[in-house]
Amino acid sequence: MGSADSPTKTQANEDENYNILCHAHEQFSNGEYDRCLELMQQLESTEESSGSILRHNRAVVHYYKSGCTEHAALLKELEELDPDPSPSLSSTEGLSLKHSGSGATVARYNKSVIYYHRHMYATALEKLAPLVNRLDALEKHMAALTATLQLQLLLATNQLNRAEAFLDYLQRKLNFVSSVPSISSNSGASPSVDETATTTAQTSSTVATPATSPDSAMAPAVRLGGDVSGTLQLLQLLTHVLNRKPVVVPEDGTPQFAALKAHQYYIMKDFQMAAKQLMRINNDCSQSGVMTQLSTCIANNMGVIHLRVRHYALAAKFFQNALTFDKQLASNLRQSTLQTMSSARSCEILYNLGISMLHLRRPKEAFQCFLVPVKLYHSNPRLWFRMAEACIMEHEEKLLVEERESLNDVASSAATSFAFGSSSKSYGAQSAAVPEPTLEFAALCLRSALTLTLHYKTSFHIAPSQEEMLDERPHWRQVQDNNFCNPSKPISLESLENMLAAIYAAYSFVSLRLGDHVTALEMADELLKTDRLSDAHKLLGHMYAGEALMYMDKPADARDHLEPTFVSTLNAFDFETRDWQVKSLDAAQQVVRYNLAVAMTLQNDFKAAKSLLISLTHSIVTAKALSLRRYIDAKLSSGIGTGAANTLKS
């Protein structure tokens, strides 16, 4: 909470009121809230100009008297003290900034603090904007409090570039912060963390440093804030670390700086040192008995480290521990303090746990984990895509179970059981709006992910080069961040394009499964047009397009997508490093040849198809190739050629 100026003696006839106010300040500092309220009652007859300040002070005292739990009542009182200005007015009109300690100024700051603790960061930024716009007009301590909260809000919303520009503004214009010591160039700059979307490990909420709460105080006779300069120093270092700047993080023995050091190790990809640093913090806190929100932070960060090095079972265990700590800490948020409310991180932890469950091939649990964060981060296309992945994985596992139970299926179904394709299985008329791990809901998720990703791609901001930045330094408000995937860090253009390709591929696959062959072909064609398309996605694009065309009775067009010659131009490394069945170019080549044989069969070109099938020896297609050969032999022996395409698709 913020405070206005400490009581200042201005006129001789105000001595008595001044003494009463100082006495009230003393009683408040000692926790004697009832006595403090009695003294404020004596000031009721004070001049009108101080009425709003007294009203604000009473609201703050009542808040502290309740054990800092009745923040809803405090917020209501603050809204009445500082109503939002009319939309027709500018952001600074209607707000008294001439006297930085006015009740309206402090009320607006305190409102922003409450919204910050409630995780309503956009609202907090909006409420705080008039104060930030006139930061140089505020009293120094009030300006420092406002700057600290603004920086925290920018970091909380992953506006990392803007936070760095705002920090530079504080340093150059207001002299609030000094420059931090940087690592010598001889020691090398810290390498950046891979942000590609080819694996799910990078989509999690990255390591989180324990949040520092904005200073709290009563106004105007009381100021309970801690060391604002110390908080600003920590936020300054955190900003530089998150922006991968080579800075020296001091070891002062506090868990906040120790956790920041662990975060720096993580960004430098020194995962072993990051884990050791976190374990050291955990041991120190265990001995001192301080195991509150820091326990949640450490468990989550350990999970992120193990997720990054592909220890998925260990990562899931740490995330589950973090959830347990978080539930203990915030068991009853309605009766919790603001600090406790701000430390609740269940949404972010469940997001991370869901990704771990996907890697462990436990799609039901992953889907249930994603249902919670998607309510808060509904504009995150990557989260919608992960939900679709869980739906697809759950559906495919069900199909595998059904396939094992029906090993003696009719051979005629082999021709359309592609290695990557879909069977002509009919699905129930379940509503796509029902949040269940079904293909219908997967299609809805992918539609949302595609719409959001295409929108973000059109508004993607390309950061200027260092030379351009030196020539003309933009105002910090003009700096933009591509923070489209909260709670993950800002996304790069390459990651955005990789995610778009993955969405097109998944959308085409789901459409094939649901029998929507037109949409499947459209998505496959869009996939093949994507910039920076990986070789694995290029293979999928041709396979899905070919299958869709065969279902649309266009086998001749399908053969154009299934010529095996294009496979030889692909990069083997792109197949070997993925978590899927096609682990080599040879496997990819044989999958394409098998599907080409299917297209030939649909064209009644049985001999050419049979000659192709003879060369298929890879385990990924041998069973399907054998079934198709038996089908062709049966057709050839019976002399049936006409109408074969319709027979194959029955």
Side-chain angles (χ1 to χ4, degrees), residues 262-275:
H263 197 159
Q264 188 178 46
Y265 281 131
Y266 174 84
I267 288 181
M268 295 171 65
K269 298 186 179 180
D270 192 345
F271 305 121
Q272 187 175 7
M273 283 301 298

Side-chain angles (χ1 to χ4, degrees), residues 33 98 207 244 438 453 512 612:
Y33 303 126
K98 181 178 180 181
V207 181
R244 300 182 177 89
T438 62
T453 305
L512 284 170
L612 259 181

Side-chain angles (χ1 to χ4, degrees), residues 94-112:
L95 177 65
S96 173
L97 289 171
K98 181 178 180 181
H99 302 291
S100 60
S102 69
T105 302
V106 183
R108 180 167 286 267
Y109 170 80
N110 283 345
K111 280 195 300 183
S112 303

Side-chain angles (χ1 to χ4, degrees), residues 273-332:
M273 283 301 298
K276 286 182 177 179
Q277 185 77 5
L278 289 174
M279 291 307 297
R280 189 181 304 126
I281 302 170
N282 186 64
N283 294 336
D284 293 343
C285 292
S286 298
Q287 294 174 3
S288 62
V290 182
M291 294 296 289
T292 53
Q293 68 186 74
L294 201 57
S295 307
T296 306
C297 175
I298 292 172
N300 177 73
N301 291 357
M302 287 294 292
V304 171
I305 292 171
H306 284 288
L307 190 62
R308 187 67 174 80
V309 296
R310 302 188 180 187
H311 297 163
Y312 304 125
L314 280 173
K317 181 65 176 176
F318 275 109
F319 291 139
Q320 288 167 345
N321 290 341
L323 275 178
T324 302
F325 293 139
D326 191 71
K327 289 179 181 177
Q328 292 174 354
L329 189 65
S331 57
N332 186 4

Side-chain angles (χ1 to χ4, degrees), residues 21 23 167 172 198 233 344 349 548:
L21 197 57
H23 193 192
L167 197 60
R172 291 186 301 105
T198 54
Q233 182 192 9
I349 299 169

